[in-house]
Amino acid sequence: MASVPSLAVSGGATAAATSFPAADARRPPPSSVAVVDKSNSNGRSIQAAHNGGGEEAALRPLDVEEAMGMLREGKTVRSAMYVPLLHRCVEAGSLGDARAVHGHMVKTGTSTDMFVATYLVNAYMRCGASRDARSMFDGMPEKNVVTWTALITGYTLNLQPAAAMEVFVEMLEAGRYPSHFTLGGTLNACSASDNVGLGKQVHGYTIKYGAESITSIGNSLCRLYAKSGSLESAMRTFRRVPDKNVITWTTMISACAEDENYVELGLTLFLDMLMDGGMPNEFTLTSVMSLCGTRLDLNLGKQVQALCFKIGCETNLPVKNSTMYLYLRKGETEEAMRLVDEMEDASIITWNAMISGYAQIMETAKDDLHARSRGFQALKIFRNLKRSSMKPDLFTFSSILSVCSAMMALEQGEQIHAQTIKTGFLSDVVVNSALVNMYNKCGCIEDATKAFVEMSTRTLVTWTSMISGYSQHGRPQEAIQLFEDMRFAGVKPNEITFVSVLSACSYAGLVEEAERYFNMMKEEYKIEPIVDHYGCMIDMFVRLGRLDDAFSFIKRTGFEPNEAIWSSLVAGCRSHGNMEFAFYAADRLLELKPKGVETYVLLLNMYISSGRWHDVARVRKLMKQEDLGILRDRSWITIKDKVYFFRANDKTHERSDDLYQLLENLLEKAKIIGYEPYQNAELSDSEDDEKPAAGSLKNHSERLAVALGLLQTPPGATIRVTKNITMCRDCHSSIKFFSLLANREIVVRDSKRLHKFKDGQCSCGDFSALL
């Protein structure tokens, strides 16, 4: 779009524009429509004449149909009296009536009256007929600033902001001067179309002609900059507005609520608003409650909830939704459900907030058992939603698919996939991306690929999810090829995309390609490496046994490895028999005072197997100092919509004797074809037993879950197990043999990655089992 020419804001234009809102549909309609008889030369109204006259009696209100009927009987109206008729058309949203009034205006010759014609442009726009409005506008012999403004604001109202900005440029090129209403409408169009460039030019004119201090202009500017992601510019504009109203404050508070980096600023603004004597409305309080949810500050949320009661907006649905969401995020599920039960007008937003809230607290649950219970609650809410009068929308489907991904709930995910097809939401890119991610997380790379290929539109998130899926499933070449396809399609990778492609290079041992992509990331895309990128490079060198290169890379790049990378180095060096490097990495790891229980188990395994009892004592002492608790081994398997839960050494299942007997048989057969038990140092799963036991346990939780899958699923069916911690080496090795002996595909997703066992091989390349 061309840049706007120079303009001035004249006082006369402003005054003219100020009169236009009197015809706005938001104002109460006039009390009557005055109808005049043609034969009555003095122009008195029919009703007044009938009453006999001197003073005109109060007029009876007429609706559009009645008024038009009187017109067809040979009566006419003063030109200004078309306005209430058009107002009734706008109120009813009746385009047909508006066109009928227009036809009569043409017949009586009043359509050339600029005032009435301008209102007709406004009426057409508010009835959604932008083409009729433009045609009317183009046919007007004269136009004033109000007419131009009606067209600009109308286009924005009808979601045609580009057309609104074009009209603004036309207006300036025609030598007409905008009022502050025009400038505000144009700024709103710039916000709607994300055209910050034109918005900045309009901002320049508001400064030049002293309109920036007008509150409505300041509000529009704040909205423009906040929506474009420039909160700093929005704040500068906000501070220059002398007379801030509730819209000004709410605009900025809402903008902060949409960016978690500005939570504290948003809450500070809210306090400033109260200190300044401002009275928040339901929109303000909804945003403030969202800020409390992001901050997970229930105490402040309760104070805001009390304020809602004080000012009488506690029954407002958005306020109740955001309050309920805060309680859910804090794990106060009973209070959250109480709020829902009290809602008589729950909307789909309410249902979505409940599902999303449970999905969020899955990530912050104190343990995996609580996390899964929250996931089941989300699935239950989704089921109840389907049974209600409400219909799921794209946000519902994307949220519940994310829950299925986290729980590896493939059967439920497949059912939801079918519903997205039935309801037509599968065409939405967000839903389809969530579907691709769900299939990837459940170990169904073929289904994920099919969903990806069938997408008509792909986002960076979708591409990255699919590249990561190929990498996780041990298909590095396909991951690298897809990365190149993405670049060829003109999609710019981000830092997460590079983590996925570097991980694929690590799997395949493609050192030259990994180094090329690492340099490409820095030089071509100007992305500074983060610890995950360094970790992929080090994993690659360790996989290949190039331990000197791994330590050289750390020294050359100068980055500080974190707990995960040092753990990987310890395990890798130990696997390759280089205990000198393993002990060095272990010392660096202990200097960090690691927080993960699994890390200490890894170190204990290494020190015990090496007979370094002094180091064993040192590790145990540090564990007590850090108060890390014990390593809890948990696994889940879903069979026919029923979830089975196992602990280590679990004998609570009704078929536990069969499970243990099956495991004994499988392990004996596995030994014949090459399985060698791996000696682990196990931390007891009992709070009372602090003594670690040496030796390989045959009954880890994932083994029991796999055994149940072998017993209770049809031959050839894929077994899918979720585990809360990293698989130990012995279980990893044994399940590889189980997949071969049973001729089954076995998928185990542990806390680090997805393992897909088939024909005695694992998709991780045997590098991921550290304990």
Side-chain angles (χ1 to χ4, degrees), residues 21-34:
D24 193 293
R26 290 171 294 184
R27 294 195 55 177
S31 61
S32 64
V33 177

Side-chain angles (χ1 to χ4, degrees), residues 252-480:
M252 287 308 306
I253 293 170
S254 300
C256 293
E258 293 175 5
D259 189 332
E260 61 182 16
N261 296 316
Y262 291 91
V263 171
E264 296 305 321
L265 175 61
L267 293 173
T268 300
L269 287 172
F270 178 61
L271 294 176
D272 290 344
M273 176 186 184
L274 298 178
M275 295 293 292
D276 197 49
M279 178 59 68
N281 60 18
E282 63 269 24
F283 302 105
T284 323
L285 293 169
T286 300
S287 295
V288 173
M289 198 64 81
S290 296
L291 289 166
C292 295
T294 304
R295 194 187 191 192
L296 295 178
D297 192 334
L298 186 58
N299 289 331
L300 182 59
K302 288 181 177 180
Q303 295 179 51
V304 176
Q305 187 180 13
L307 181 59
C308 293
F309 278 94
K310 182 177 180 180
I311 66 177
C313 70
E314 76 283 356
T315 60
N316 179 268
L317 186 57
V319 172
K320 289 192 290 187
N321 286 340
S322 57
T323 306
M324 178 270 293
Y325 187 70
L326 169 62
Y327 277 106
L328 269 184
R329 289 290 309 277
K330 287 296 292 181
E332 300 283 343
T333 55
E334 291 185 6
E335 180 64 19
M337 292 302 102
R338 185 188 65 79
L339 290 171
V340 173
D341 292 339
E342 291 175 355
M343 295 183 189
E344 297 179 357
D345 53 350
S347 66
I348 187 60
I349 297 175
T350 310
W351 290 94
N352 288 346
M354 286 192 286
I355 294 171
S356 177
Y358 275 113
Q360 290 284 335
I361 60 178
M362 282 182 70
E363 300 177 3
T364 57
K366 60 182 181 180
D367 56 49
D368 294 272
L369 192 59
H370 281 82
R372 293 189 73 85
S373 70
R374 301 315 184 202
F376 287 126
Q377 283 293 328
L379 290 169
K380 181 179 178 181
I381 290 169
F382 179 72
R383 182 191 64 198
N384 293 338
L385 167 61
K386 290 191 298 177
R387 294 173 178 174
S388 73
S389 58
M390 298 284 178
K391 300 297 180 184
D393 62 11
L394 64 94
F395 299 105
T396 321
F397 284 120
S398 59
S399 293
I400 199 63
L401 282 170
S402 71
V403 172
C404 294
S405 298
M407 298 178 66
M408 209 164 82
L410 178 62
E411 292 181 27
Q412 291 86 346
E414 288 175 331
Q415 294 169 17
I416 294 165
H417 184 183
Q419 292 167 40
T420 63
I421 296 173
K422 183 178 179 180
T423 56
F425 283 109
L426 185 60
S427 59
D428 181 80
V429 66
V430 176
V431 173
N432 222 324
S433 297
L435 189 67
V436 169
N437 185 57
M438 186 274 294
Y439 279 125
N440 275 330
K441 292 291 182 66
C442 291
C444 301
I445 189 66
E446 289 78 13
D447 291 317
T449 301
K450 184 175 183 293
F452 178 82
V453 169
E454 291 176 351
M455 292 180 70
S456 57
T457 305
R458 301 182 183 98
T459 64
L460 174 60
V461 173
T462 318
W463 285 98
T464 301
S465 178
M466 199 66 233
I467 293 168
S468 176
Y470 280 132
S471 179
Q472 287 275 323
H473 284 77
R475 295 162 73 164
Q477 295 295 347
E478 289 167 90
I480 293 168

Side-chain angles (χ1 to χ4, degrees), residues 583 590 600-624 681 683 690-692:
F583 294 142
L590 287 171
Y600 289 98
V601 175
L602 168 68
L603 294 173
L604 282 174
N605 280 332
M606 181 180 68
Y607 288 135
I608 290 173
S609 62
S610 302
R612 296 174 61 118
W613 303 110
H614 174 74
D615 288 320
V616 170
R618 180 163 62 111
V619 171
R620 288 177 178 168
K621 181 179 179 181
L622 188 57
M623 290 180 69
K624 288 185 178 180
L683 287 188
E690 297 182 0
K691 182 180 178 181

Side-chain angles (χ1 to χ4, degrees), residues 79-125:
S79 60
M81 291 302 106
Y82 281 108
V83 170
L85 288 176
L86 290 170
H87 185 95
R88 299 289 171 87
C89 297
V90 170
E91 270 197 328
S94 176
L95 178 59
D97 285 346
R99 285 172 173 164
V101 174
H102 184 190
H104 194 273
M105 288 169 58
V106 173
K107 182 178 178 181
T108 58
T110 54
S111 61
T112 58
D113 183 289
M114 185 173 63
F115 173 71
V116 181
T118 295
Y119 204 95
L120 184 58
V121 169
N122 179 60
Y124 274 141
M125 281 296 190

